[in-house]
Amino acid sequence: MHQVLENYPLWASIIAIALAQFLKVLWNYALHRVWDWNWLINTGSMPSGHTAAVTSLATAVGLQEGWDSPTFAITTILAIIVMYDATGVRRHAGMQAQVLNRLMEDFTELLAEIRRNKINPPQAGVKLKEILGHQPIEVFTGAWFGIFISLLVYWLWPK
């Protein structure tokens, strides 16, 4: 257990994702003037917590193991895949969820019009989660945030 507590790359990554998620709460408050603590666990928005975690991990491994180590190569490739996924696959899945949710709402409205005389018009099904991925700027910001946190933790970490 003692070794886990001394694992600088692990803690740099955990700190980066925790702070990035907390920044989402502040960011969304600045935009909407509403405290929404669900952003501590939500995906999407600014900055990308996943990106912050993997770039912090890769930076920490590079600092600790060396920039030419196989472990740095593995964590860097992992970071690239996560960032690509966040701006590509997950973002497009969120866009598709928006379209499907709108189709479901339109269909429900159409059925309600057809069945005007019914007491209980049909209800829409469960909405799909629309914020899944990130815009490129959110991933870019998350990447730099993760690198910064890793460097800060490295500077503060007892040697």
Side-chain angles (χ1 to χ4, degrees), residues 43 64 86 124 150:
T43 59
Q64 187 172 32
S150 186

Side-chain angles (χ1 to χ4, degrees), residues 14-136:
I14 288 172
I15 291 168
I17 197 168
L19 290 176
Q21 291 301 117
F22 181 71
L23 282 176
K24 289 181 186 190
V25 173
L26 299 177
W27 176 259
N28 283 283
Y29 177 78
L31 292 177
H32 307 290
R33 296 289 181 221
V34 174
W35 289 107
D36 185 354
W37 295 99
N38 288 322
W39 282 108
L40 288 174
I41 58 171
N42 282 351
T43 59
S45 193
M46 174 78 83
S48 168
H50 293 99
T51 301
V54 294
T55 57
S56 180
L57 179 63
T59 303
V61 166
L63 288 167
Q64 187 172 32
E65 307 274 327
W67 304 106
D68 61 344
S69 72
T71 310
F72 173 70
I74 292 167
T75 56
T76 299
I77 295 302
L78 172 69
I80 291 168
I81 291 169
V82 167
M83 290 185 286
Y84 175 79
D85 181 61
T87 57
V89 176
R90 284 181 37 230
R91 183 167 181 234
H92 287 101
M95 294 163 76
Q96 289 176 350
Q98 286 177 332
V99 171
L100 290 172
N101 285 337
R102 183 64 197 156
L103 284 172
M104 188 170 47
E105 290 168 8
D106 290 348
F107 181 70
T108 301
E109 289 174 20
L110 177 63
L111 285 178
E113 285 181 35
I114 292 171
R115 300 176 182 171
R116 251 177 248 171
N117 298 329
K118 292 282 186 184
I119 296 171
N120 294 323
Q123 298 295 315
V126 176
K127 280 192 151 199
L128 299 171
K129 185 173 180 183
E130 295 179 5
I131 301 176
L132 297 173
H134 294 279
Q135 295 179 19

